[in-house]
Amino acid sequence: MANGDIFSDVIQADLARIPLFEALHTERFNGCDYLLSQVVVKNIFTDFDRLLSRHLAATRGEGFPQFTAFVRFREAAGMPTWKSFDPTHHASVPHALRHIAERAVSFGRDEGLMLRHAGRTGSAEDEGIEVPLEREDVNTLKDALDAFETIGEPEFMEISGDFDVVFCRPSPEQRPITMYLRKGSASVPSDRSATGTPFECPIAGFRRGIRDDMGAQGYVAAARHALSAAKEAAVSEFRSAAETQIMAFDRALHGRPLDGHRSDSALSLIARLRAGLGDELRGLGEAARITAMEWSLAVDTLGRNGAVHIAAGHDASEGHRRAAG
């Protein structure tokens, strides 16, 4: 199952979401002005899903989206009846802002964006903050995000900011890289001087610039080393958490049939395990793998045979006979 499918089909059901901000702009289509609203929320995962996301980012290069923008539109001068587009998903707030700004510049009426708070204290009367945008602004933000991705995957870095300044902290031990978008300049922490003066270069020339400064090279090398260690830890942490989840579910199941809510829970857990470890569930300890493979074969028969009994403490071959029975 692809990452997007497991996210939409399984993970989203257990998400909590924190509204952050709403971006509004006006588009003209078929002679009519439409108000487009995009509410950006922070996705809060369960502990197990957070570890699965980091595991997928480490092994496949992409985890689950950390932020989602819910998109809706209505006639600007008509009745306030909203219709929805499909939501869009993003790795960070700046990634979401880039996508929103790209649309506003491409299809908007040259009015830029209106940003306003989308949390509990927000209201329809909150006019928000006007953000003028031009194509160059979008391109600079894109260049900044592309520069960060030369260091590592966004899932393993702390990336934040807005249309003025964007920050990237590759690891908790490092000071952040700062991109000043309006100036078009990047500031990279550097040890090239006793005072710790940062290395500065144009955002558009970031890749070339860091090759010309030994301090910036050292910073990027340390960042990549830390990211490599974080990826290795992500794989180990997910495997350990998967084994814990399997054995805890086995104790809770206690030999009762996989029907009703137990069936739903088993299907959900197996989908997560297969997404991270493949259909063969490679990488688990033998006890956990045998137990989970027994469920995996069992849930594959649910559609044909109805409820399936899994006897706690029985060996896999006995479980398989019961599943096939």
Side-chain angles (χ1 to χ4, degrees):
M1 185 180 290
N3 289 10
D5 294 335
I6 184 70
F7 177 77
S8 61
D9 294 346
V10 179
I11 305 301
Q12 282 196 118
D14 293 324
L15 279 181
R17 290 188 166 105
I18 300 175
L20 299 180
F21 63 88
E22 180 182 25
L24 303 109
H25 71 273
T26 303
E27 296 182 6
R28 191 164 186 82
F29 181 73
N30 283 347
C32 183
D33 286 341
Y34 291 89
L35 182 63
L36 196 83
S37 163
Q38 301 188 63
V39 177
V40 175
V41 302
K42 168 68 173 173
N43 295 323
I44 308 298
F45 298 91
T46 66
D47 288 342
F48 188 60
D49 288 342
R50 178 179 56 81
L51 293 175
L52 172 57
S53 177
R54 288 176 64 83
H55 172 83
L56 292 172
T59 57
R60 299 187 188 177
E62 183 179 7
F64 300 136
Q66 302 300 301
F67 297 84
T68 294
F70 290 95
V71 189
R72 58 182 183 164
F73 68 96
R74 66 172 174 84
E75 290 187 22
M79 296 295 290
T81 301
W82 294 95
K83 297 182 179 179
S84 296
F85 288 130
D86 290 338
T88 60
H89 303 292
H90 310 281
S92 72
V93 165
H95 284 87
L97 289 173
R98 173 197 164 187
H99 181 87
I100 291 168
E102 178 70 40
R103 175 161 190 143
V105 169
S106 299
F107 303 108
R109 300 201 63 192
D110 298 327
E111 299 168 354
L113 289 172
M114 183 70 68
L115 297 179
R116 63 187 186 189
H117 179 61
R120 183 175 178 180
T121 59
S123 68
E125 290 73 32
D126 176 17
E127 294 185 355
I129 300 172
E130 290 186 12
V131 180
L133 288 175
E134 297 180 1
R135 170 58 60 182
E136 183 179 353
D137 299 315
V138 179
N139 292 340
T140 303
L141 179 54
K142 177 184 181 299
D143 288 341
L145 295 176
D146 287 348
F148 295 154
E149 293 198 13
T150 64
I151 299 174
E153 293 83 352
E155 288 86 351
F156 291 98
M157 301 189 291
E158 180 185 344
I159 299 175
S160 62
D162 51 31
F163 290 111
D164 295 316
V165 181
V166 178
F167 302 91
C168 173
R169 189 190 300 273
S171 70
E173 295 76 22
Q174 292 182 294
R175 290 177 293 163
I177 300 171
T178 306
M179 302 283 191
Y180 299 97
L181 302 184
R182 301 297 180 184
K183 292 171 54 180
S185 65
S187 178
V188 183
S190 171
D191 58 4
R192 64 177 178 173
S193 70
T195 60
T197 302
F199 170 70
E200 296 190 359
C201 67
I203 293 174
F206 182 82
R207 296 175 182 82
R208 181 176 60 256
I210 58 176
R211 291 198 299 265
D212 296 334
D213 181 84
M214 293 183 63
Q217 289 178 28
Y219 177 93
V220 171
R224 289 174 175 159
H225 176 78
L227 288 167
S228 177
K231 291 177 186 179
E232 183 177 352
V235 173
S236 297
E237 288 166 3
F238 175 71
R239 288 176 174 176
S240 177
E243 293 189 10
T244 299
Q245 288 285 99
I246 290 166
M247 304 318 290
F249 187 79
D250 188 52
R251 290 192 298 270
L253 191 60
H254 199 60
R256 287 172 290 190
L258 283 176
D259 58 4
H261 64 277
R262 288 184 291 274
S263 169
D264 293 339
S265 296
L267 288 167
S268 175
L269 178 55
I270 289 297
R272 287 168 162 87
L273 294 172
R274 285 174 169 171
L277 303 171
D279 290 345
E280 297 299 318
L281 305 183
R282 300 292 183 186
L284 296 175
E286 287 304 316
R289 183 166 179 261
I290 289 171
T291 302
M293 286 298 293
E294 184 175 338
W295 302 337
S296 183
L297 290 175
V299 297
D300 286 342
T301 71
L302 284 173
R304 299 191 299 272
N305 298 341
V308 177
H309 289 264
I310 300 295
H314 285 212
D315 63 28
S317 60
E318 173 64 15
H320 294 169
R321 286 195 294 271
R322 289 171 178 265

